[in-house]
Amino acid sequence: MNIILTGFMGTGKTITGKLVSEKLGMEFIDTDKIIEEREKDRIVRIFQIKGEKYFRKIEEKVIEEVSLKDNCVIATGGGAIVSEKNFRNLKKNGILICLSADPSVILKRTTPAKDRPLLLKSKHAIQTIKELLERRKPYYSKADYTIDTSHLAPEQVAEKIIEIYRNEKDKNKS
Ligand code: S3P
């Protein structure tokens, strides 16, 4: 069983995912990192040069592949879950945990937005964050669990994820 982390930019998917993987001795996979390695370019440049549609296609392919793995902690990009195909693939062998945070906290954590193509050009980043969050609400709410990370340190978030994982494993045993 995999632990899949979804949620908006700046909610801590990568940092807490790494912590969880270290604590549980599971492999850590960051789908954005795989995309960058494959494309030999930064996400922000892939968006600029080839466009979001192209990025989403690669993202789907990568998610399809990593969903076949087992015993991994998988951090996905903030928009991945919007695709029904990605959702179905990730759910096949994983508990889907959404990390959330208040818009003002997200703004702080994503500033400067040099690595965030969807916020980079926005003159009113807080507005863009709120709008995107609203649009994505129905998708994030499909996760099995949600953890609000606004006022938690990554260590605390990691502990909560581990507790969820252990409970799910126990459930599967009985
Ligand atoms: C995106 C989030 C990014 C990255 C890309 C698109 C999004 O990942 O996949 O810039 O659509 O929200 P993070 O959530 O890790 O920043």
Side-chain angles (χ1 to χ4, degrees), residues 9 13 32 43 47 55-56 59 77-79 116-118 136:
M9 296 168 257
K13 301 181 293 288
D32 278 347
I43 303 275
F47 265 70
F55 169 81
R56 297 295 174 200
E59 187 176 52
R116 320 278 183 173
L118 296 178
R136 289 184 177 173

Side-chain angles (χ1 to χ4, degrees), residues 7-11 13-14 30-32 35 43-44 47 52 55-56 59 76-80 110 115-118 132 136 140:
F8 205 76
M9 296 168 257
T11 53
K13 301 181 293 288
T14 304
D30 182 335
T31 58
D32 278 347
I35 296 168
I43 303 275
V44 72
F47 265 70
E52 180 169 353
F55 169 81
R56 297 295 174 200
E59 187 176 52
T76 61
T110 55
D115 290 325
R116 320 278 183 173
L118 296 178
L132 261 180
R136 289 184 177 173
Y140 292 143

Side-chain angles (χ1 to χ4, degrees), residues 128-144:
T128 309
I129 289 168
K130 283 181 183 167
E131 280 165 18
L132 261 180
L133 272 174
E134 196 53 37
R135 234 185 293 153
R136 289 184 177 173
K137 223 187 210 169
Y139 305 101
Y140 292 143
S141 70
K142 284 159 81 180
D144 302 307

Side-chain angles (χ1 to χ4, degrees), residues 3-14 16 31 59 63 73-83 86-87 90-91 95-101 136 139-147 149 157 161:
I3 298 174
I4 323 275
L5 300 182
T6 179
F8 205 76
M9 296 168 257
T11 53
K13 301 181 293 288
T14 304
T16 47
T31 58
E59 187 176 52
I63 286 185
V73 180
I74 304 173
T76 61
I81 206 68
V82 171
S83 148
N86 289 343
F87 174 74
L90 291 166
K91 275 294 295 168
I95 337 163
L96 200 48
I97 302 177
C98 179
L99 302 187
S100 71
R136 289 184 177 173
Y139 305 101
Y140 292 143
S141 70
K142 284 159 81 180
D144 302 307
Y145 297 89
T146 298
I147 302 171
T149 70
V157 181
I161 294 170

